[in-house]
Amino acid sequence: MSRTLLPFLAFSFCSAQVFAQANGVRFIFPEFTKVYADKSMWSSYQLGMGYDHDFNDRISMGLDVTIDLQRATEEDGQSIEVPYAGFIANYYSGDRLLSVTYRTAYAFTDNSETHLYVGSYFGFRAFKQTLDLGYVTDPSGSSNGNGPFQQQVEAKKTLFPIGLRLGVRGSLEGGFADLYTQVGYNIGGGESAFSQAFFSGRDFDLSSMSFTLGLAYGFGW
C-alpha cells in the first residue's frame, strides 16, 4: 500500500511546487535605450510587453518585446545634412528598432515582496534606417540635381546586446511595477548600418554600448 501511495504523493508534491510558481504579464513604458554612439539615449523611447516567471522565491526569468517611437523626443528633428565631395545633401531620416530580450534575475530578498534584484540579459535587435532625399546643394550654391546621392536609401543592422541588469520589482501576484537598468555590450554595434562611407558619423554610427533604463507595470497570478 505504501509503495502505491509514494508515487502519488511525489506527484502531488511536484504539482504543488509548479502551481506555487508565479507568472506575470508586463507593459513596458517608457524604456530609454542608447541607439546611436554620439547621441543621447533620451533622444528616443520604446514601449512593449513582456512575460515574467518566478521559479521560486529568489530566481526569476522573463522575455520582453519592445519597439521604438521614431526618436520622438529629439529636439533637432529628423532632417540631417550629409556632406560629400563638396555637395551637401539634406535627407529626411527615419529609423525603426525592434528588440527582443531574455532576462534572468536573482532577488536579494523574497520576491513575493518588493525586492532588489540583479541578473543578466541577452537580446536581439533589428535596426532599420531609411533616408529620403530632400535637396542637394552643389559647390556653386545651386540646388539642381541629386549629385552623387540616391533619392532613397535603406540600411538594416542586426545587434545582439548582452550584459547585466539591476532593478527593483514588486510581487508578481496582483499588480506590480519594475524599475530597471541594463548595462552591457552591443555585439555588431560601433558602426553605421550603411555601406556608403559618407553615411557615417553622429546621425548614423550605432552604439557599441548597451545601456537601458525602463519602467514596467504588470499583473500576475
Side-chain angles (χ1 to χ4, degrees):
M1 186 67 175
S2 61
R3 290 183 178 180
T4 305
L5 287 175
L6 187 59
F8 175 79
L9 292 174
F11 175 79
S12 299
F13 175 78
C14 292
S15 299
Q17 292 296 308
V18 170
F19 287 108
Q21 298 175 358
N23 301 278
V25 175
R26 64 172 53 202
F27 301 93
I28 304 165
F29 182 80
E31 182 180 275
F32 299 93
T33 191
K34 189 159 181 65
V35 178
Y36 294 93
D38 296 324
K39 288 189 177 184
S40 167
M41 63 180 287
W42 311 113
S43 64
S44 67
Y45 57 91
Q46 292 74 44
L47 57 81
M49 293 185 64
Y51 168 75
D52 289 78
H53 178 73
D54 289 348
F55 292 103
N56 51 46
D57 61 357
R58 293 299 177 105
I59 306 298
S60 306
M61 59 76 66
L63 186 68
D64 297 334
V65 178
T66 59
I67 58 173
D68 78 312
L69 292 178
Q70 275 274 47
R71 288 185 273 174
T73 61
E74 189 170 24
E75 295 181 358
D76 58 0
Q78 296 174 310
S79 179
I80 60 176
E81 291 186 346
V82 180
Y84 178 68
F87 294 86
I88 298 178
N90 185 280
Y91 274 102
Y92 180 84
S93 174
D95 54 28
R96 291 286 188 275
L97 184 68
L98 170 67
S99 300
V100 179
T101 304
Y102 174 80
R103 50 188 166 76
T104 63
Y106 173 80
F108 291 103
T109 57
D110 193 331
N111 59 23
S112 63
E113 301 175 351
T114 299
H115 60 279
L116 178 69
Y117 68 84
V118 65
S120 61
Y121 70 93
F122 177 78
F124 165 85
R125 286 183 176 180
F127 174 83
K128 181 173 75 171
Q129 186 173 10
T130 58
L131 300 173
D132 290 299
L133 185 64
Y135 59 88
V136 176
T137 303
D138 66 23
S140 66
S142 64
S143 301
N144 298 320
N146 291 352
F149 301 100
Q150 295 175 263
Q151 184 64 41
Q152 187 175 64
V153 195
E154 179 181 286
K156 298 179 180 179
K157 187 77 171 177
T158 301
L159 307 172
F160 299 95
I162 185 172
L164 296 177
R165 180 183 175 104
L166 179 69
V168 179
R169 198 205 76 186
S171 170
L172 288 185
E173 296 184 7
F176 70 93
D178 183 13
L179 176 63
Y180 58 90
T181 184
Q182 298 179 161
V183 180
Y185 179 71
N186 268 331
I187 301 173
E191 61 184 9
S192 170
F194 292 92
S195 58
Q196 297 92 330
F198 47 83
F199 291 137
S200 61
R202 181 178 185 271
D203 294 296
F204 302 99
D205 293 346
L206 301 177
S207 176
S208 59
M209 176 188 181
S210 172
F211 185 71
T212 299
L213 179 65
L215 180 63
Y217 308 90
F219 61 91
W221 59 92

